[in-house]
Amino acid sequence: MHFPNFRHLTQRTVNLSPPTLLALGFLSFILVGTLLLRLPISHHGHLSWMDALFTATSAVTITGLSTISVHDSLTGFGQTVLLLLIQSGGLGFMTFAILAALSLSPKVRLRQQMMAQTATGQTNLSKVTFVAKGVFFYTLFFELIGTVILTVLFTPEYGFPTSLHYAIFYSISSFNNAGFSIFGDSLMSFEGQYLVYLVISLLYIIGGIGFIVLMDIKRSKSWSKLSANSKLVLSSIAIINLLAFIVIWMLEATNYQTLGQLNLGEQAVHAWFQATAPRSSGLNTIDTGSMTSTSTLVVMLLMFIGGGSLSTAGGIKVGTFVVLLLSVISFLRRNEEVRAFNHSISQETTVKALAVAMITCILIFGGFFLILLLEPRQNFLDLLFEIVSAACTVGLSRGITSELSPGSLMILIFLMYAGRLGPLTLAYLIATPKKSRLKHPPTDIQIG
């Protein structure tokens, strides 16, 4: 009897592109997380398959939208599973893959580097290993510092064991810009604990800067020696945060459902948090659903912009937004090149920025159109806010997530997944262009 050569079959490698492997990697985390959350040991009573799938997807994509209360629905084991999913999504599937490969061999093969290149958004293969190590150690360092400080702040009120649990959860959730909170009202349960708000805001701001910038800061140690990219990201984040802080404070100062009944100091703290959190944190200290329509529009713009590239933040990324803005300014001034900090920005980078922004807009518009069909009774603004939050992997909500139908939740699941994968896949495709020998004659297309 002739038996098939199983050894030969097992030696075959699956010919999948790096973006496909990355997508399957995140999908496997989501599926495993769904199964683990459905275990009786993970929840109190009943947790539906839809709730488990939605929560796992939101955690792996470090979004933060939730149909359940973490405190009321998940046990200690379930909360641990949730944190592991957040950490996996924050570090990135391929970062884990590259670190695993490094533990087996000091040299990483080209295909492994290409997969990690997709996850980290790097166009230079020589930087992939260095970046992967940096992502891992920087994440653990800041999460550890956050855990220690938050434990000290929580202990007088909650006792050490509970405080340590809260500190670990909020440190991981904040640094990874995941937006998950133990309590259903996000951080509103910690009213008056302004040092807690400050530490958490610092964690998600640092996590949203980007690991390349953090490494550049450590290496350069001075503003003048920083790269043009680092200067652009840091200055842009500072300006956006300051402007958003002023605008939201002004718009909400007379709103008695949010800041109107607070003194100036309290207003400043909450305004700062609500101005910085939308760029991907997903946590809130006031009722987002009670904010004015103008403030809500500002928050949606902040969610769309997001944080720095190769960070735990979402959105189209600050660099993308600024490159588009500089391109428009350059065009209006009739400049021959787009410049930033005495450096020219390549046309390829400009096109890449435009593509990332356009893909995100298409996701938002398409998702919004479909959810309007499924949720005709829901408020227009609430639905748009939910869609932007999902597509930009932010996690803020105006309180309607748990009220949505299963079909609408599936739309949000797809948007969270696509929002997490889209720009990464695009970065890989642009990094490895396909050149053609066929040249086409130029033509003029009327614009504007």
Side-chain angles (χ1 to χ4, degrees), residues 25-38 47-68 70 74 78 81-90 178 180 409 412-413 416-417 420:
F26 275 109
L27 183 60
S28 65
F29 276 126
I30 291 172
L31 295 178
V32 171
T34 301
L35 294 175
L36 290 176
L37 290 176
R38 275 282 295 169
L47 183 72
S48 68
W49 280 106
M50 177 57 73
D51 288 336
L53 175 61
F54 191 92
T55 303
T57 304
S58 185
V60 172
T61 60
I62 52 177
T63 302
L65 288 175
S66 182
T67 58
I68 63 172
V70 174
L74 299 183
V81 171
L82 185 66
L83 286 181
L84 291 176
L85 293 176
I86 292 172
Q87 195 73 285
S88 302
F180 277 96
L409 293 179
L412 293 181
I413 287 174
M416 290 188 290
Y417 185 66
R420 179 71 172 130

Side-chain angles (χ1 to χ4, degrees), residues 18 184 199 204 217 242 309 323:
V199 172
Y204 65 66
I217 292 173
L242 180 60
S309 298
V323 167

Side-chain angles (χ1 to χ4, degrees), residues 364 367-368 371 383-392 411-412 415:
I364 291 173
F368 187 45
I371 206 169
L383 288 176
L384 179 58
F385 191 92
E386 200 84 4
I387 290 295
V388 174
S389 181
C392 298
I411 291 174
L412 293 181
L415 288 176

Side-chain angles (χ1 to χ4, degrees), residues 87 137-155 160 162-176 195-207:
Q87 195 73 285
F137 289 112
Y138 273 76
T139 298
L140 294 185
F141 173 76
F142 284 111
E143 288 178 352
L144 178 61
I145 295 298
T147 299
V148 172
I149 298 175
L150 288 175
T151 301
V152 173
L153 295 176
F154 285 146
T155 298
F160 179 75
T162 303
S163 297
L164 180 61
H165 170 65
Y166 287 177
I168 293 174
F169 188 96
Y170 283 108
S171 181
I172 293 176
S173 180
S174 300
F175 183 77
N176 287 285
L195 284 178
V196 172
Y197 290 164
L198 177 61
V199 172
I200 289 178
S201 68
L202 288 176
L203 282 172
Y204 65 66
I205 288 174
I206 294 173

Side-chain angles (χ1 to χ4, degrees), residues 10-25:
T10 56
Q11 287 178 344
R12 293 183 180 179
T13 58
V14 180
N15 187 24
L16 296 176
S17 65
T20 303
L21 289 174
L22 182 64
L24 292 176

Side-chain angles (χ1 to χ4, degrees), residues 44-325:
H44 301 292
H46 179 71
L47 183 72
S48 68
W49 280 106
M50 177 57 73
D51 288 336
L53 175 61
F54 191 92
T55 303
T57 304
S58 185
V60 172
T61 60
I62 52 177
T63 302
L65 288 175
S66 182
T67 58
I68 63 172
S69 168
V70 174
H71 181 268
D72 297 332
S73 299
L74 299 183
T75 63
F77 179 81
Q79 292 180 27
T80 301
V81 171
L82 185 66
L83 286 181
L84 291 176
L85 293 176
I86 292 172
Q87 195 73 285
S88 302
L91 286 174
F93 170 75
M94 296 316 302
T95 306
F96 276 120
I98 202 71
L99 290 173
L102 284 173
S103 65
L104 298 176
S105 174
K107 292 186 178 181
V108 185
R109 290 179 295 179
L110 179 62
R111 184 169 181 80
Q112 294 168 324
Q113 290 192 36
M114 291 295 289
M115 289 187 291
Q117 177 185 356
T118 304
T120 58
Q122 291 299 297
T123 56
N124 189 341
L125 290 177
S126 64
K127 293 182 179 180
V128 170
T129 301
F130 174 76
V131 171
K133 290 180 178 179
V135 169
F136 183 77
F137 289 112
Y138 273 76
T139 298
L140 294 185
F141 173 76
F142 284 111
E143 288 178 352
L144 178 61
I145 295 298
T147 299
V148 172
I149 298 175
L150 288 175
T151 301
V152 173
L153 295 176
F154 285 146
T155 298
E157 183 168 351
Y158 302 104
F160 179 75
T162 303
S163 297
L164 180 61
H165 170 65
Y166 287 177
I168 293 174
F169 188 96
Y170 283 108
S171 181
I172 293 176
S173 180
S174 300
F175 183 77
N176 287 285
N177 278 259
F180 277 96
S181 173
I182 293 177
F183 304 105
D185 60 358
S186 193
L187 298 181
M188 295 172 65
S189 298
F190 301 115
E191 176 62 37
Q193 301 186 46
Y194 297 121
L195 284 178
V196 172
Y197 290 164
L198 177 61
V199 172
I200 289 178
S201 68
L202 288 176
L203 282 172
Y204 65 66
I205 288 174
I206 294 173
I209 288 176
F211 293 101
I212 293 295
V213 177
L214 293 176
M215 295 175 194
D216 193 20
I217 292 173
K218 181 178 181 298
R219 180 177 60 253
S220 301
K221 296 183 176 61
S222 68
W223 177 262
S224 60
K225 295 181 180 179
L226 289 175
S227 67
N229 174 73
S230 297
K231 291 179 180 178
L232 183 143
V233 171
L234 291 173
S235 58
S236 299
I237 287 177
I239 293 172
I240 292 173
N241 284 347
L242 180 60
L243 290 177
F245 167 64
I246 295 173
V247 171
I248 289 180
W249 192 355
M250 291 175 61
L251 293 175
E252 294 297 322
T254 56
N255 183 357
Y256 283 89
Q257 293 181 292
T258 54
L259 305 183
Q261 296 181 350
L262 306 177
N263 61 46
L264 287 179
E266 293 171 337
Q267 285 186 357
V269 172
H270 289 288
W272 168 256
F273 205 96
Q274 295 308 123
T276 54
R279 292 201 6 268
S280 194
S281 165
L283 295 168
N284 58 284
T285 60
I286 60 175
D287 183 11
T288 307
S290 298
M291 296 178 70
T292 63
S293 297
T294 48
S295 295
T296 302
L297 181 62
V298 172
V299 169
M300 285 193 287
L301 175 61
L302 295 173
M303 291 194 294
F304 181 77
I305 294 173
S309 298
L310 189 54
S311 71
T312 57
I316 65 171
K317 302 297 186 294
V318 169
T320 303
F321 175 76
V322 174
V323 167
L324 291 176
L325 188 62

